[in-house]
Amino acid sequence: MNVLDGKGLATQIKAEIALKVEAMVAQGKRRPHLAAVLVGDDPASHVYVRNKVRSCEKSGFESTLVRLPNTVTQQELMQKIHELNADDTIDGFIVQLPLPKHIDDEAVTLAIDYRKDVDGFHPMNFGRMALGLSCYVPATPLGIITMLERYGVETSGKSCAVIGRSNIVGTPISILLSRKALVGNATVTLVHSRSKGAAEILKQSDIIIAAIGIPHYLTADLVKEGAVVIDVGINRVEDPAAKRGYRLVGDVDYGAVAPKCSYITPVPGGVGPMTVTALLMNTLKAATHEIYK
Ligand code: NAD
């Protein structure tokens, strides 16, 4: 069994990005600049955004954190997005989800200039991704694809089950893995909450990507010998022994599943750090106008 060390790989890629940034600066160009909009006080969102800002610093990016209160109106948030769209010193920005209930997420996603949409959620980028055109691929799927590529995990001709069909993980990764690409050419089944016979599908799959948000959903009896298992889930479970009173677990029952796998990602230290790194990869592309001139 091989552990896909997302944390280690993320550190390596961030160092590679930092070298490219220093080369840009040496040529007199400005540093890539990522802005993050954080609305309200959701504790998990705070942690994610803090990690993104820290990673920017490690790669020599400039970063700006825009904090808005829970009570922000749709109009005020839209105004901030328009300002970020118009700011020539900012290459890309994200609006951290989830947003408060009174905010229309879809309107927010559509308001972001697709050329600065480094989360890849705008229909322009999502549509281009589905067509196999260059675009900002959503960060978590890009992180997974990058990890599979760097570790040389074969996907071509393999059967792959993706569990969960969210717009940010399950749906895009299912599209990417089925496309004709270096990491792709898999026969993908998207398993969701209404699927019938999910257990049989999972038991026959060479690759399983779990993205549902249910702690330890994927048990050893659902995984065949030699499978590749990618655990996207980040779930807080109560743990009185832990300093914060909780610990993070994935959607995979790691202890029981890992011995059966050829490759598996841990939680934490797997997909999470790769997601943040993928965001930096997209921001670097934005700064160098690699996708949109
Ligand atoms: P989500 O929470 O929006 O939706 C869950 C999906 O799971 C839905 O599509 C639903 O149909 C499906 N589902 C629910 N119960 C199911 C069942 N019993 N069988 C099959 N499918 C079922 O999804 P999300 O935003 O992709 O998040 C999923 C998990 O991944 C969460 O734990 C989240 O915290 C985590 N996440 C991690 C990262 C990362 O960087 N590692 C990034 C995004 C999300």
Side-chain angles (χ1 to χ4, degrees):
M1 182 266 295
N2 297 294
V3 176
L4 294 167
D5 173 14
K7 195 175 171 198
L9 181 56
T11 305
Q12 188 188 320
I13 296 175
K14 275 185 275 192
E16 292 167 12
I17 293 174
L19 284 178
K20 288 186 187 157
V21 170
E22 292 319 313
M24 283 169 70
V25 172
Q27 288 169 12
K29 295 181 182 144
R30 66 166 174 74
R31 296 178 181 278
H33 188 173
L34 174 71
V37 179
L38 177 59
V39 181
D41 39 29
D42 176 58
S45 293
H46 273 255
V47 174
Y48 296 147
V49 169
R50 194 178 341 125
N51 287 341
K52 288 168 188 175
V53 170
R54 272 194 201 144
S55 293
C56 279
E57 285 161 9
K58 285 198 180 120
S59 290
F61 286 28
E62 219 182 298
S63 65
T64 296
L65 175 58
V66 179
R67 288 189 65 170
L68 298 170
N70 228 343
T71 51
V72 71
T73 65
Q74 182 84 29
Q75 204 185 357
E76 286 163 342
L77 180 53
M78 293 303 234
Q79 177 57 33
K80 183 45 76 182
I81 291 170
H82 294 315
E83 281 171 30
L84 294 169
N85 282 340
D87 187 338
D88 288 340
T89 69
I90 289 173
D91 299 299
F93 67 97
I94 61 157
V95 179
Q96 183 67 43
L97 300 176
L99 290 166
K101 289 211 166 55
H102 66 277
I103 300 288
D104 176 355
D105 304 20
E106 199 178 301
V108 168
T109 303
L110 288 171
I112 297 173
D113 182 339
Y114 65 86
R115 290 164 298 191
K116 293 191 175 189
D117 168 43
V118 286
D119 251 343
F121 296 163
H122 191 284
M124 174 65 119
N125 285 307
F126 204 94
R128 289 180 65 95
M129 178 200 69
L131 293 169
L133 301 172
S134 65
C135 64
Y136 301 120
V137 172
T140 302
L142 178 59
I144 295 170
I145 295 283
T146 305
M147 186 155 56
L148 294 174
E149 185 184 345
R150 293 284 187 119
Y151 271 92
V153 177
E154 185 61 82
T155 56
S156 183
K158 304 288 182 188
S159 55
C160 173
V162 175
I163 327 173
R165 57 180 161 185
S166 73
N167 288 345
I168 62 168
V169 186
T171 297
I173 193 70
S174 70
I175 294 170
L176 289 165
L177 285 173
S178 59
R179 287 204 57 83
K180 189 172 181 181
L182 185 61
V183 178
N185 295 316
T187 306
V188 180
T189 307
L190 185 54
V191 177
H192 49 77
S193 51
R194 305 280 176 92
S195 295
K196 292 203 166 74
E200 290 315 309
I201 295 166
L202 295 173
K203 282 182 203 171
Q204 288 167 24
S205 296
D206 299 318
I207 302 170
I208 300 176
I209 301 189
I212 50 176
I214 302 178
H216 295 166
Y217 169 88
L218 190 72
T219 48
D221 56 311
L222 298 173
V223 178
K224 78 171 180 183
E225 270 316 315
V228 175
V229 171
I230 306 294
D231 190 353
V232 182
I234 303 178
N235 308 295
R236 288 183 179 201
V237 294
E238 273 185 42
D239 182 356
K243 208 165 85 185
R244 295 187 182 120
Y246 69 86
R247 68 194 157 87
L248 295 180
V249 299
D251 291 347
V252 176
D253 182 5
Y254 187 90
V257 170
K260 296 182 86 173
C261 296
S262 56
Y263 291 95
I264 187 165
T265 60
V267 175
V271 175
M274 287 304 298
T275 296
V276 180
T277 304
L279 182 65
L280 299 186
M281 289 162 69
N282 279 342
T283 307
L284 183 63
K285 284 186 184 151
T288 55
H289 303 283
E290 199 178 310
I291 295 166
Y292 302 111
K293 302 298 167 211

